Structure formats: C-alpha cells, structure tokens
Amino acid sequence: ARRADPAPADGDGGEEAEDLYAAKRVRERDVRVWSDYMKAQLHSKSLQLLHRDGDMDQSAFSAGHALLDGGSQPLEEILESVRFFLEECDRLQGVHALVDVNSGFGGVGQAVLRELRDELGRVPILGVGIVEPEAVPEADSRHAQYVGYRAANEAVAMHALSEVCSLYVPVPLYSIAGARGHPYLAGDRWRARSLFHTAALAAVGLDTVTLPYRRARPSHGPNSAATLAELASRLAPRDDLRIAGLSMAFPM
C-alpha cells in the first residue's frame, strides 16, 4: 500500500494534496462489493476466484462444499496459494481466519481450515465467523425465511468451525444494531443495516482483541503481549471449550 505525501507546511501545493486525500477516501455510496473498501495493493495469490455452475444457490453454508466437490474449483488450488504465504513465515505463530458464514463462503472457509488443521498439527487457528447485518427489512414478507436460513447457517458454522479451530468467535453484525442508542452513534451518524458502519465497529473490536499477539515488545496488563496460542488458551482454558464471544464497550 502506498501512502500519500503529507501536505506542505505552506500554502504551495495544498490544494493538490487535499485532492489526493479526497481521492483515497472511501465513501459509503461508492461501496458495492467488499473490495471497494480496499485501498491496498494485494498480492496476486491473495485472491481466489470461485466459479459456480449456472444458478447454483450460494446462500447456504453447505453450498461451499458442493462448489468444491463439484470439481469446478479444486480445493488444492486454493491451498497452494495459502501455502505460498505460510512458507514465507520464519516461525508460524498461527492462523487468523475471517469467514463469511452466512453463505457458501463459509463452507469453503471451513474446508480450507480443515486441511490446514491436518497439515499444521497443533498450530493454533483463530476463526472469526462474520454474519452481515439485516439484509432483509423486517417489514418484508421474506424476513422470517431469511432469519431462519441465517440461524441455520450460524448453527452449522459454529459446529463445523469450532471443530477445526483452536478458538471460534462468531461476530454477527446484526447484533451491533443496539449500538444506535449510544450518544456517539446518534442520529444519522449510525445505520444499523449498513455494512460500512457495522463492519467498522466490528473491526475496532477485532483490532483490540488481537492486539496481544501483534505487539512486538513485552508489556503488562490485560492486553499484554502474548502469542496467538496463549491468547486462545486464555479465552478457552479447556480443550472442549473452543467458542468465545466478542463484546465491546464505548466510553461515556
């Protein structure tokens, strides 16, 4: 990723710098797919195109398994890209995976993590299951059906991912809707059904939780430096207890 040059101290070139900053700013009305949030340049092996046949329904978690079993997208092709980055690590601390569990991407993610579990042995895997905010309004006649499908996907994901992950943390973005009552998120500044807004709050929470194993220097306190394995053992002290929750608190 490239960073824009800082604006000059004097007035010369200030307008050009402001234009550059404005061009790099992500605006919600411009966001249509997840990559619209990205301003970084990704490695070519960071992206994998999934090819589906015809009108294959991708709304179910298990649809990802069907997609891979059908042969149109060999699992080994995805794993080779993952191994490419694993081999770059001098000492692999663990795997941190964010998985969209309310679609076929959940099944694909679970299949990849299952293979990594077999290959990496006891290397810790932190799985975060993401569920989008309310995609269908409550007034819509399809809302009840949508909620039923979503609940089924979340249940399947919790069972499947907790088996292959050292720690599984479900993060349903629709549960953040209650944050609208906080004074910092009052009025038009907060939209509970916005992917843009809910993802931003979830990102803050995940950034804080993962801080211990991203710190380079020893420190003290609840967020003191720790490995991914140590963090997982703090949150899941027993081997049969592999599910944790994410909660956030705002300053008053």
Side-chain angles (χ1 to χ4, degrees):
R2 293 181 297 178
R3 183 176 57 189
D5 293 331
D10 54 17
D12 295 337
E15 293 183 1
E16 289 80 357
E18 286 297 326
D19 291 341
L20 182 58
Y21 287 133
K24 289 181 174 294
R25 188 177 300 120
V26 180
R27 295 172 299 184
E28 184 173 6
R29 65 174 179 270
D30 298 329
V31 174
R32 294 294 179 271
V33 294
W34 69 269
S35 57
D36 290 337
Y37 289 92
M38 301 289 291
K39 291 298 180 181
Q41 296 178 353
L42 301 178
H43 192 283
S44 59
K45 290 186 177 293
S46 295
L47 301 175
Q48 284 289 327
L49 296 177
L50 299 180
H51 309 284
R52 64 177 181 178
D53 298 327
D55 298 327
M56 179 185 294
D57 184 15
Q58 288 294 308
S59 61
F61 183 95
S62 58
H65 296 155
L67 183 67
L68 296 175
D69 295 339
S72 59
Q73 182 74 25
L75 177 59
E76 189 64 25
E77 181 180 329
I78 301 176
L79 289 171
E80 280 302 312
S81 294
V82 178
R83 294 188 188 108
F84 173 83
F85 292 104
L86 294 178
E87 292 171 358
E88 294 291 316
C89 301
D90 295 330
R91 181 181 179 184
L92 181 63
Q93 183 182 157
V95 176
H96 182 174
L98 274 70
V99 184
D100 175 7
V101 301
N102 196 31
S103 69
F105 286 111
V108 173
Q110 187 260 344
V112 172
L113 293 177
R114 181 183 59 212
E115 294 297 324
L116 290 180
R117 168 58 67 208
D118 293 340
E119 294 185 14
L120 301 178
R122 296 183 62 84
V123 171
I125 298 177
L126 172 61
V128 179
I130 305 293
V131 181
E132 77 275 11
E134 295 284 356
V136 180
E138 293 185 11
D140 195 306
S141 60
R142 299 169 299 167
H143 182 262
Q145 183 183 42
Y146 164 77
V147 171
Y149 283 152
R150 184 183 67 192
N153 283 335
E154 290 183 272
V156 172
M158 185 171 296
H159 171 73
L161 292 174
S162 63
E163 285 192 335
V164 298
C165 295
S166 307
L167 183 67
Y168 174 65
V169 183
V171 181
L173 297 184
Y174 60 84
S175 67
I176 306 179
R180 71 176 62 177
H182 194 279
Y184 287 165
L185 302 173
D188 296 335
R189 290 180 292 177
W190 169 250
R191 287 187 286 277
R193 291 179 52 218
S194 167
L195 280 170
F196 199 88
H197 289 195
T198 53
L201 284 184
V204 172
L206 292 174
D207 185 72
T208 303
V209 170
T210 59
L211 182 61
Y213 66 80
R214 293 187 291 108
R215 296 177 67 98
R217 299 178 180 179
S219 57
H220 303 283
N223 281 335
S224 59
T227 64
L228 180 54
E230 291 171 339
L231 177 64
S233 65
R234 291 177 186 176
L235 299 176
R238 300 204 316 262
D239 189 57
D240 60 341
L241 185 63
R242 298 183 177 181
I243 300 175
L246 175 66
S247 62
M248 300 171 58
F250 291 98
M252 298 302 293

mmCIF file of all heavy atoms in Angstrom, residues 156-205:
data_model
loop_
_atom_site.group_PDB
_atom_site.id
_atom_site.type_symbol
_atom_site.label_atom_id
_atom_site.label_comp_id
_atom_site.label_asym_id
_atom_site.label_seq_id
_atom_site.Cartn_x
_atom_site.Cartn_y
_atom_site.Cartn_z
ATOM 1 N N VAL A 156 -24.708 -24.313 11.885
ATOM 2 C CA VAL A 156 -23.794 -25.225 11.180
ATOM 3 C C VAL A 156 -22.359 -24.718 11.274
ATOM 4 O O VAL A 156 -21.422 -25.494 11.510
ATOM 5 C CB VAL A 156 -24.217 -25.366 9.699
ATOM 6 C CG1 VAL A 156 -23.177 -26.156 8.913
ATOM 7 C CG2 VAL A 156 -25.578 -26.049 9.607
ATOM 8 N N ALA A 157 -22.181 -23.416 11.122
ATOM 9 C CA ALA A 157 -20.844 -22.834 11.182
ATOM 10 C C ALA A 157 -20.232 -23.008 12.570
ATOM 11 O O ALA A 157 -19.038 -23.326 12.693
ATOM 12 C CB ALA A 157 -20.902 -21.356 10.814
ATOM 13 N N MET A 158 -21.021 -22.800 13.607
ATOM 14 C CA MET A 158 -20.500 -22.934 14.963
ATOM 15 C C MET A 158 -20.008 -24.349 15.222
ATOM 16 O O MET A 158 -18.948 -24.564 15.824
ATOM 17 C CB MET A 158 -21.572 -22.541 15.985
ATOM 18 C CG MET A 158 -21.080 -22.535 17.420
ATOM 19 S SD MET A 158 -22.282 -21.837 18.577
ATOM 20 C CE MET A 158 -22.378 -20.138 18.014
ATOM 21 N N HIS A 159 -20.751 -25.339 14.737
ATOM 22 C CA HIS A 159 -20.344 -26.728 14.927
ATOM 23 C C HIS A 159 -19.122 -27.060 14.067
ATOM 24 O O HIS A 159 -18.131 -27.622 14.569
ATOM 25 C CB HIS A 159 -21.498 -27.665 14.568
ATOM 26 C CG HIS A 159 -21.105 -29.109 14.531
ATOM 27 N ND1 HIS A 159 -20.845 -29.844 15.667
ATOM 28 C CD2 HIS A 159 -20.897 -29.950 13.476
ATOM 29 C CE1 HIS A 159 -20.514 -31.075 15.330
ATOM 30 N NE2 HIS A 159 -20.534 -31.172 14.019
ATOM 31 N N ALA A 160 -19.160 -26.689 12.781
ATOM 32 C CA ALA A 160 -18.095 -27.076 11.859
ATOM 33 C C ALA A 160 -16.782 -26.362 12.160
ATOM 34 O O ALA A 160 -15.712 -26.980 12.148
ATOM 35 C CB ALA A 160 -18.536 -26.788 10.419
ATOM 36 N N LEU A 161 -16.839 -25.061 12.426
ATOM 37 C CA LEU A 161 -15.613 -24.296 12.618
ATOM 38 C C LEU A 161 -15.012 -24.499 14.003
ATOM 39 O O LEU A 161 -13.793 -24.417 14.171
ATOM 40 C CB LEU A 161 -15.872 -22.819 12.362
ATOM 41 C CG LEU A 161 -16.186 -22.475 10.902
ATOM 42 C CD1 LEU A 161 -16.586 -21.004 10.751
ATOM 43 C CD2 LEU A 161 -14.989 -22.777 10.001
ATOM 44 N N SER A 162 -15.845 -24.739 15.008
ATOM 45 C CA SER A 162 -15.285 -24.990 16.339
ATOM 46 C C SER A 162 -14.532 -26.309 16.387
ATOM 47 O O SER A 162 -13.684 -26.514 17.270
ATOM 48 C CB SER A 162 -16.393 -24.982 17.398
ATOM 49 O OG SER A 162 -17.327 -26.035 17.169
ATOM 50 N N GLU A 163 -14.798 -27.213 15.455
ATOM 51 C CA GLU A 163 -14.078 -28.482 15.408
ATOM 52 C C GLU A 163 -12.681 -28.337 14.817
ATOM 53 O O GLU A 163 -11.772 -29.075 15.193
ATOM 54 C CB GLU A 163 -14.874 -29.515 14.599
ATOM 55 C CG GLU A 163 -16.080 -30.087 15.319
ATOM 56 C CD GLU A 163 -16.651 -31.291 14.598
ATOM 57 O OE1 GLU A 163 -16.440 -31.393 13.366
ATOM 58 O OE2 GLU A 163 -17.281 -32.126 15.258
ATOM 59 N N VAL A 164 -12.498 -27.396 13.890
ATOM 60 C CA VAL A 164 -11.199 -27.260 13.221
ATOM 61 C C VAL A 164 -10.390 -26.087 13.766
ATOM 62 O O VAL A 164 -9.190 -25.981 13.481
ATOM 63 C CB VAL A 164 -11.367 -27.103 11.703
ATOM 64 C CG1 VAL A 164 -12.029 -28.336 11.112
ATOM 65 C CG2 VAL A 164 -12.179 -25.857 11.358
ATOM 66 N N CYS A 165 -11.009 -25.183 14.533
ATOM 67 C CA CYS A 165 -10.312 -24.013 15.064
ATOM 68 C C CYS A 165 -9.957 -24.231 16.534
ATOM 69 O O CYS A 165 -10.677 -24.896 17.266
ATOM 70 C CB CYS A 165 -11.187 -22.763 14.944
ATOM 71 S SG CYS A 165 -11.539 -22.262 13.250
ATOM 72 N N SER A 166 -8.843 -23.648 16.941
ATOM 73 C CA SER A 166 -8.491 -23.659 18.359
ATOM 74 C C SER A 166 -9.465 -22.803 19.146
ATOM 75 O O SER A 166 -9.740 -23.074 20.318
ATOM 76 C CB SER A 166 -7.065 -23.136 18.544
ATOM 77 O OG SER A 166 -6.148 -23.830 17.721
ATOM 78 N N LEU A 167 -9.958 -21.751 18.495
ATOM 79 C CA LEU A 167 -10.946 -20.871 19.103
ATOM 80 C C LEU A 167 -11.817 -20.294 18.001
ATOM 81 O O LEU A 167 -11.296 -19.785 17.010
ATOM 82 C CB LEU A 167 -10.267 -19.738 19.879
ATOM 83 C CG LEU A 167 -11.186 -18.772 20.636
ATOM 84 C CD1 LEU A 167 -11.879 -19.497 21.789
ATOM 85 C CD2 LEU A 167 -10.406 -17.577 21.160
ATOM 86 N N TYR A 168 -13.134 -20.397 18.172
ATOM 87 C CA TYR A 168 -14.070 -19.853 17.191
ATOM 88 C C TYR A 168 -14.870 -18.731 17.839
ATOM 89 O O TYR A 168 -15.442 -18.896 18.920
ATOM 90 C CB TYR A 168 -15.024 -20.930 16.666
ATOM 91 C CG TYR A 168 -16.096 -20.374 15.760
ATOM 92 C CD1 TYR A 168 -15.770 -19.796 14.542
ATOM 93 C CD2 TYR A 168 -17.439 -20.420 16.131
ATOM 94 C CE1 TYR A 168 -16.733 -19.276 13.709
ATOM 95 C CE2 TYR A 168 -18.421 -19.911 15.299
ATOM 96 C CZ TYR A 168 -18.060 -19.342 14.094
ATOM 97 O OH TYR A 168 -19.020 -18.804 13.265
ATOM 98 N N VAL A 169 -14.909 -17.569 17.166
ATOM 99 C CA VAL A 169 -15.605 -16.391 17.692
ATOM 100 C C VAL A 169 -16.637 -15.933 16.666
ATOM 101 O O VAL A 169 -16.281 -15.369 15.624
ATOM 102 C CB VAL A 169 -14.614 -15.242 17.978
ATOM 103 C CG1 VAL A 169 -15.354 -14.063 18.598
ATOM 104 C CG2 VAL A 169 -13.484 -15.705 18.872
ATOM 105 N N PRO A 170 -17.923 -16.178 16.909
ATOM 106 C CA PRO A 170 -18.949 -15.658 16.000
ATOM 107 C C PRO A 170 -19.138 -14.157 16.185
ATOM 108 O O PRO A 170 -19.211 -13.671 17.320
ATOM 109 C CB PRO A 170 -20.208 -16.438 16.402
ATOM 110 C CG PRO A 170 -19.967 -16.826 17.826
ATOM 111 C CD PRO A 170 -18.488 -16.994 17.993
ATOM 112 N N VAL A 171 -19.193 -13.418 15.085
ATOM 113 C CA VAL A 171 -19.393 -11.967 15.137
ATOM 114 C C VAL A 171 -20.567 -11.620 14.228
ATOM 115 O O VAL A 171 -20.389 -11.288 13.047
ATOM 116 C CB VAL A 171 -18.127 -11.205 14.704
ATOM 117 C CG1 VAL A 171 -18.361 -9.695 14.783
ATOM 118 C CG2 VAL A 171 -16.940 -11.595 15.572
ATOM 119 N N PRO A 172 -21.797 -11.726 14.726
ATOM 120 C CA PRO A 172 -22.973 -11.349 13.929
ATOM 121 C C PRO A 172 -23.127 -9.839 13.893
ATOM 122 O O PRO A 172 -23.423 -9.213 14.916
ATOM 123 C CB PRO A 172 -24.128 -12.031 14.659
ATOM 124 C CG PRO A 172 -23.659 -12.151 16.074
ATOM 125 C CD PRO A 172 -22.161 -12.271 16.045
ATOM 126 N N LEU A 173 -22.943 -9.246 12.743
ATOM 127 C CA LEU A 173 -23.007 -7.786 12.649
ATOM 128 C C LEU A 173 -24.404 -7.259 12.944
ATOM 129 O O LEU A 173 -24.549 -6.102 13.357
ATOM 130 C CB LEU A 173 -22.552 -7.339 11.257
ATOM 131 C CG LEU A 173 -21.102 -7.667 10.885
ATOM 132 C CD1 LEU A 173 -20.762 -7.094 9.518
ATOM 133 C CD2 LEU A 173 -20.132 -7.145 11.935
ATOM 134 N N TYR A 174 -25.440 -8.087 12.754
ATOM 135 C CA TYR A 174 -26.796 -7.613 13.045
ATOM 136 C C TYR A 174 -26.998 -7.375 14.539
ATOM 137 O O TYR A 174 -27.887 -6.627 14.947
ATOM 138 C CB TYR A 174 -27.843 -8.598 12.522
ATOM 139 C CG TYR A 174 -27.757 -9.984 13.111
ATOM 140 C CD1 TYR A 174 -28.350 -10.290 14.324
ATOM 141 C CD2 TYR A 174 -27.084 -11.007 12.444
ATOM 142 C CE1 TYR A 174 -28.279 -11.565 14.860
ATOM 143 C CE2 TYR A 174 -27.001 -12.276 12.971
ATOM 144 C CZ TYR A 174 -27.600 -12.556 14.179
ATOM 145 O OH TYR A 174 -27.511 -13.809 14.715
ATOM 146 N N SER A 175 -26.164 -8.006 15.383
ATOM 147 C CA SER A 175 -26.303 -7.813 16.834
ATOM 148 C C SER A 175 -25.775 -6.457 17.276
ATOM 149 O O SER A 175 -26.025 -6.026 18.407
ATOM 150 C CB SER A 175 -25.556 -8.919 17.581
ATOM 151 O OG SER A 175 -24.153 -8.803 17.386
ATOM 152 N N ILE A 176 -25.026 -5.775 16.397
ATOM 153 C CA ILE A 176 -24.487 -4.459 16.743
ATOM 154 C C ILE A 176 -25.554 -3.381 16.570
ATOM 155 O O ILE A 176 -25.335 -2.219 16.891
ATOM 156 C CB ILE A 176 -23.249 -4.137 15.864
ATOM 157 C CG1 ILE A 176 -22.226 -5.275 15.974
ATOM 158 C CG2 ILE A 176 -22.590 -2.843 16.275
ATOM 159 C CD1 ILE A 176 -20.987 -5.054 15.130
ATOM 160 N N ALA A 177 -26.728 -3.755 16.095
ATOM 161 C CA ALA A 177 -27.777 -2.766 15.837
ATOM 162 C C ALA A 177 -28.125 -1.965 17.081
ATOM 163 O O ALA A 177 -28.478 -0.789 17.007
ATOM 164 C CB ALA A 177 -29.031 -3.462 15.299
ATOM 165 N N GLY A 178 -28.000 -2.573 18.272
ATOM 166 C CA GLY A 178 -28.333 -1.873 19.501
ATOM 167 C C GLY A 178 -27.417 -0.718 19.824
ATOM 168 O O GLY A 178 -27.709 0.095 20.704
ATOM 169 N N ALA A 179 -26.302 -0.619 19.096
ATOM 170 C CA ALA A 179 -25.358 0.466 19.372
ATOM 171 C C ALA A 179 -25.929 1.821 19.007
ATOM 172 O O ALA A 179 -25.370 2.851 19.384
ATOM 173 C CB ALA A 179 -24.052 0.225 18.612
ATOM 174 N N ARG A 180 -27.049 1.847 18.304
ATOM 175 C CA ARG A 180 -27.617 3.130 17.874
ATOM 176 C C ARG A 180 -28.033 3.993 19.058
ATOM 177 O O ARG A 180 -28.175 5.198 18.933
ATOM 178 C CB ARG A 180 -28.822 2.884 16.964
ATOM 179 C CG ARG A 180 -30.030 2.348 17.694
ATOM 180 C CD ARG A 180 -31.232 2.216 16.788
ATOM 181 N NE ARG A 180 -30.993 1.275 15.718
ATOM 182 C CZ ARG A 180 -31.912 0.934 14.809
ATOM 183 N NH1 ARG A 180 -33.096 1.500 14.853
ATOM 184 N NH2 ARG A 180 -31.645 0.058 13.869
ATOM 185 N N GLY A 181 -28.243 3.390 20.225
ATOM 186 C CA GLY A 181 -28.648 4.165 21.381
ATOM 187 C C GLY A 181 -27.512 4.918 22.041
ATOM 188 O O GLY A 181 -27.748 5.738 22.924
ATOM 189 N N HIS A 182 -26.281 4.662 21.641
ATOM 190 C CA HIS A 182 -25.151 5.344 22.260
ATOM 191 C C HIS A 182 -25.049 6.761 21.719
ATOM 192 O O HIS A 182 -25.250 7.001 20.523
ATOM 193 C CB HIS A 182 -23.854 4.581 21.972
ATOM 194 C CG HIS A 182 -22.713 5.004 22.829
ATOM 195 N ND1 HIS A 182 -21.959 6.124 22.560
ATOM 196 C CD2 HIS A 182 -22.203 4.466 23.961
ATOM 197 C CE1 HIS A 182 -21.029 6.250 23.484
ATOM 198 N NE2 HIS A 182 -21.145 5.261 24.345
ATOM 199 N N PRO A 183 -24.729 7.740 22.579
ATOM 200 C CA PRO A 183 -24.677 9.140 22.102
ATOM 201 C C PRO A 183 -23.678 9.372 20.986
ATOM 202 O O PRO A 183 -23.874 10.258 20.154
ATOM 203 C CB PRO A 183 -24.293 9.926 23.369
ATOM 204 C CG PRO A 183 -23.772 8.902 24.336
ATOM 205 C CD PRO A 183 -24.494 7.645 24.026
ATOM 206 N N TYR A 184 -22.593 8.580 20.934
ATOM 207 C CA TYR A 184 -21.617 8.765 19.871
ATOM 208 C C TYR A 184 -22.158 8.315 18.511
ATOM 209 O O TYR A 184 -21.610 8.664 17.475
ATOM 210 C CB TYR A 184 -20.339 7.980 20.166
ATOM 211 C CG TYR A 184 -19.490 8.566 21.265
ATOM 212 C CD1 TYR A 184 -18.476 7.825 21.859
ATOM 213 C CD2 TYR A 184 -19.701 9.864 21.719
ATOM 214 C CE1 TYR A 184 -17.690 8.363 22.871
ATOM 215 C CE2 TYR A 184 -18.926 10.406 22.723
ATOM 216 C CZ TYR A 184 -17.922 9.652 23.304
ATOM 217 O OH TYR A 184 -17.158 10.191 24.296
ATOM 218 N N LEU A 185 -23.227 7.503 18.550
ATOM 219 C CA LEU A 185 -23.768 6.959 17.306
ATOM 220 C C LEU A 185 -25.214 7.396 17.108
ATOM 221 O O LEU A 185 -26.017 6.668 16.537
ATOM 222 C CB LEU A 185 -23.685 5.419 17.328
ATOM 223 C CG LEU A 185 -22.284 4.835 17.530
ATOM 224 C CD1 LEU A 185 -22.359 3.332 17.697
ATOM 225 C CD2 LEU A 185 -21.380 5.194 16.365
ATOM 226 N N ALA A 186 -25.519 8.574 17.571
ATOM 227 C CA ALA A 186 -26.898 9.055 17.499
ATOM 228 C C ALA A 186 -27.193 9.663 16.131
ATOM 229 O O ALA A 186 -26.295 10.029 15.371
ATOM 230 C CB ALA A 186 -27.144 10.097 18.593
ATOM 231 N N GLY A 187 -28.478 9.734 15.840
ATOM 232 C CA GLY A 187 -28.928 10.414 14.629
ATOM 233 C C GLY A 187 -28.505 9.708 13.351
ATOM 234 O O GLY A 187 -28.490 8.482 13.268
ATOM 235 N N ASP A 188 -28.150 10.515 12.363
ATOM 236 C CA ASP A 188 -27.822 9.978 11.044
ATOM 237 C C ASP A 188 -26.411 9.414 10.965
ATOM 238 O O ASP A 188 -26.003 8.922 9.919
ATOM 239 C CB ASP A 188 -27.979 11.077 9.974
ATOM 240 C CG ASP A 188 -29.419 11.543 9.845
ATOM 241 O OD1 ASP A 188 -30.311 10.743 10.186
ATOM 242 O OD2 ASP A 188 -29.630 12.685 9.409
ATOM 243 N N ARG A 189 -25.663 9.492 12.052
ATOM 244 C CA ARG A 189 -24.286 9.009 12.004
ATOM 245 C C ARG A 189 -24.199 7.491 12.080
ATOM 246 O O ARG A 189 -23.140 6.920 11.870
ATOM 247 C CB ARG A 189 -23.473 9.627 13.146
ATOM 248 C CG ARG A 189 -23.211 11.106 12.968
ATOM 249 C CD ARG A 189 -22.412 11.651 14.128
ATOM 250 N NE ARG A 189 -23.174 11.644 15.365
ATOM 251 C CZ ARG A 189 -22.684 12.013 16.545
ATOM 252 N NH1 ARG A 189 -21.432 12.402 16.632
ATOM 253 N NH2 ARG A 189 -23.442 11.996 17.622
ATOM 254 N N TRP A 190 -25.295 6.822 12.385
ATOM 255 C CA TRP A 190 -25.260 5.372 12.562
ATOM 256 C C TRP A 190 -26.434 4.724 11.835
ATOM 257 O O TRP A 190 -27.580 5.100 12.017
ATOM 258 C CB TRP A 190 -25.323 5.012 14.044
ATOM 259 C CG TRP A 190 -25.545 3.555 14.305
ATOM 260 C CD1 TRP A 190 -26.665 2.966 14.816
ATOM 261 C CD2 TRP A 190 -24.633 2.491 14.054
ATOM 262 N NE1 TRP A 190 -26.515 1.616 14.907
ATOM 263 C CE2 TRP A 190 -25.264 1.286 14.444
ATOM 264 C CE3 TRP A 190 -23.335 2.432 13.534
ATOM 265 C CZ2 TRP A 190 -24.642 0.047 14.326
ATOM 266 C CZ3 TRP A 190 -22.720 1.194 13.425
ATOM 267 C CH2 TRP A 190 -23.371 0.023 13.825
ATOM 268 N N ARG A 191 -26.129 3.747 10.979
ATOM 269 C CA ARG A 191 -27.155 2.972 10.274
ATOM 270 C C ARG A 191 -26.890 1.499 10.541
ATOM 271 O O ARG A 191 -25.880 0.949 10.083
ATOM 272 C CB ARG A 191 -27.139 3.293 8.777
ATOM 273 C CG ARG A 191 -27.711 4.660 8.463
ATOM 274 C CD ARG A 191 -27.858 4.892 6.967
ATOM 275 N NE ARG A 191 -26.572 5.118 6.339
ATOM 276 C CZ ARG A 191 -25.952 6.286 6.309
ATOM 277 N NH1 ARG A 191 -26.483 7.348 6.908
ATOM 278 N NH2 ARG A 191 -24.785 6.421 5.693
ATOM 279 N N ALA A 192 -27.815 0.881 11.259
ATOM 280 C CA ALA A 192 -27.612 -0.486 11.743
ATOM 281 C C ALA A 192 -27.571 -1.518 10.613
ATOM 282 O O ALA A 192 -26.998 -2.588 10.780
ATOM 283 C CB ALA A 192 -28.710 -0.855 12.734
ATOM 284 N N ARG A 193 -28.171 -1.218 9.467
ATOM 285 C CA ARG A 193 -28.184 -2.182 8.364
ATOM 286 C C ARG A 193 -27.076 -1.903 7.349
ATOM 287 O O ARG A 193 -27.040 -2.522 6.286
ATOM 288 C CB ARG A 193 -29.550 -2.164 7.666
ATOM 289 C CG ARG A 193 -30.688 -2.718 8.521
ATOM 290 C CD ARG A 193 -32.015 -2.650 7.776
ATOM 291 N NE ARG A 193 -31.911 -3.261 6.474
ATOM 292 C CZ ARG A 193 -32.514 -2.800 5.381
ATOM 293 N NH1 ARG A 193 -33.218 -1.681 5.446
ATOM 294 N NH2 ARG A 193 -32.391 -3.420 4.239
ATOM 295 N N SER A 194 -26.180 -1.005 7.698
ATOM 296 C CA SER A 194 -25.104 -0.646 6.783
ATOM 297 C C SER A 194 -23.896 -1.552 6.992
ATOM 298 O O SER A 194 -23.370 -1.676 8.099
ATOM 299 C CB SER A 194 -24.687 0.811 7.003
ATOM 300 O OG SER A 194 -23.468 1.094 6.344
ATOM 301 N N LEU A 195 -23.447 -2.208 5.931
ATOM 302 C CA LEU A 195 -22.215 -2.993 6.006
ATOM 303 C C LEU A 195 -21.037 -2.102 6.380
ATOM 304 O O LEU A 195 -20.135 -2.508 7.116
ATOM 305 C CB LEU A 195 -21.944 -3.670 4.660
ATOM 306 C CG LEU A 195 -22.706 -4.949 4.347
ATOM 307 C CD1 LEU A 195 -22.501 -5.343 2.899
ATOM 308 C CD2 LEU A 195 -22.251 -6.074 5.257
ATOM 309 N N PHE A 196 -21.054 -0.898 5.864
ATOM 310 C CA PHE A 196 -19.974 0.055 6.097
ATOM 311 C C PHE A 196 -19.858 0.385 7.586
ATOM 312 O O PHE A 196 -18.771 0.340 8.159
ATOM 313 C CB PHE A 196 -20.250 1.325 5.290
ATOM 314 C CG PHE A 196 -19.049 2.193 5.082
ATOM 315 C CD1 PHE A 196 -18.212 2.000 4.002
ATOM 316 C CD2 PHE A 196 -18.764 3.218 5.953
ATOM 317 C CE1 PHE A 196 -17.103 2.808 3.799
ATOM 318 C CE2 PHE A 196 -17.657 4.039 5.757
ATOM 319 C CZ PHE A 196 -16.830 3.826 4.678
ATOM 320 N N HIS A 197 -20.977 0.696 8.241
ATOM 321 C CA HIS A 197 -20.958 1.118 9.637
ATOM 322 C C HIS A 197 -20.700 -0.055 10.579
ATOM 323 O O HIS A 197 -19.881 0.045 11.498
ATOM 324 C CB HIS A 197 -22.282 1.791 9.996
ATOM 325 C CG HIS A 197 -22.451 3.132 9.351
ATOM 326 N ND1 HIS A 197 -23.417 4.043 9.761
ATOM 327 C CD2 HIS A 197 -21.798 3.732 8.327
ATOM 328 C CE1 HIS A 197 -23.343 5.140 9.022
ATOM 329 N NE2 HIS A 197 -22.368 4.956 8.136
ATOM 330 N N THR A 198 -21.428 -1.161 10.398
ATOM 331 C CA THR A 198 -21.279 -2.293 11.313
ATOM 332 C C THR A 198 -19.902 -2.936 11.190
ATOM 333 O O THR A 198 -19.309 -3.352 12.188
ATOM 334 C CB THR A 198 -22.364 -3.346 11.045
ATOM 335 O OG1 THR A 198 -22.357 -3.703 9.650
ATOM 336 C CG2 THR A 198 -23.734 -2.816 11.420
ATOM 337 N N ALA A 199 -19.368 -3.003 9.966
ATOM 338 C CA ALA A 199 -18.039 -3.586 9.781
ATOM 339 C C ALA A 199 -16.973 -2.730 10.455
ATOM 340 O O ALA A 199 -15.982 -3.248 10.989
ATOM 341 C CB ALA A 199 -17.725 -3.737 8.297
ATOM 342 N N ALA A 200 -17.168 -1.415 10.457
ATOM 343 C CA ALA A 200 -16.197 -0.529 11.101
ATOM 344 C C ALA A 200 -16.135 -0.788 12.602
ATOM 345 O O ALA A 200 -15.044 -0.859 13.189
ATOM 346 C CB ALA A 200 -16.564 0.926 10.821
ATOM 347 N N LEU A 201 -17.298 -0.963 13.249
ATOM 348 C CA LEU A 201 -17.308 -1.237 14.689
ATOM 349 C C LEU A 201 -16.711 -2.610 14.990
ATOM 350 O O LEU A 201 -15.946 -2.773 15.938
ATOM 351 C CB LEU A 201 -18.736 -1.165 15.229
ATOM 352 C CG LEU A 201 -19.330 0.224 15.409
ATOM 353 C CD1 LEU A 201 -20.714 0.123 16.035
ATOM 354 C CD2 LEU A 201 -18.438 1.098 16.264
ATOM 355 N N ALA A 202 -17.064 -3.611 14.173
ATOM 356 C CA ALA A 202 -16.513 -4.947 14.380
ATOM 357 C C ALA A 202 -14.996 -4.938 14.209
ATOM 358 O O ALA A 202 -14.267 -5.626 14.935
ATOM 359 C CB ALA A 202 -17.144 -5.937 13.405
ATOM 360 N N ALA A 203 -14.506 -4.160 13.251
ATOM 361 C CA ALA A 203 -13.064 -4.081 13.017
ATOM 362 C C ALA A 203 -12.341 -3.500 14.223
ATOM 363 O O ALA A 203 -11.247 -3.943 14.583
ATOM 364 C CB ALA A 203 -12.784 -3.234 11.776
ATOM 365 N N VAL A 204 -12.963 -2.499 14.877
ATOM 366 C CA VAL A 204 -12.363 -1.930 16.084
ATOM 367 C C VAL A 204 -12.254 -2.993 17.174
ATOM 368 O O VAL A 204 -11.223 -3.123 17.854
ATOM 369 C CB VAL A 204 -13.194 -0.732 16.587
ATOM 370 C CG1 VAL A 204 -12.707 -0.259 17.948
ATOM 371 C CG2 VAL A 204 -13.109 0.414 15.589
ATOM 372 N N GLY A 205 -13.314 -3.777 17.357
ATOM 373 C CA GLY A 205 -13.294 -4.827 18.368
ATOM 374 C C GLY A 205 -12.251 -5.890 18.081
ATOM 375 O O GLY A 205 -11.485 -6.301 18.963
#
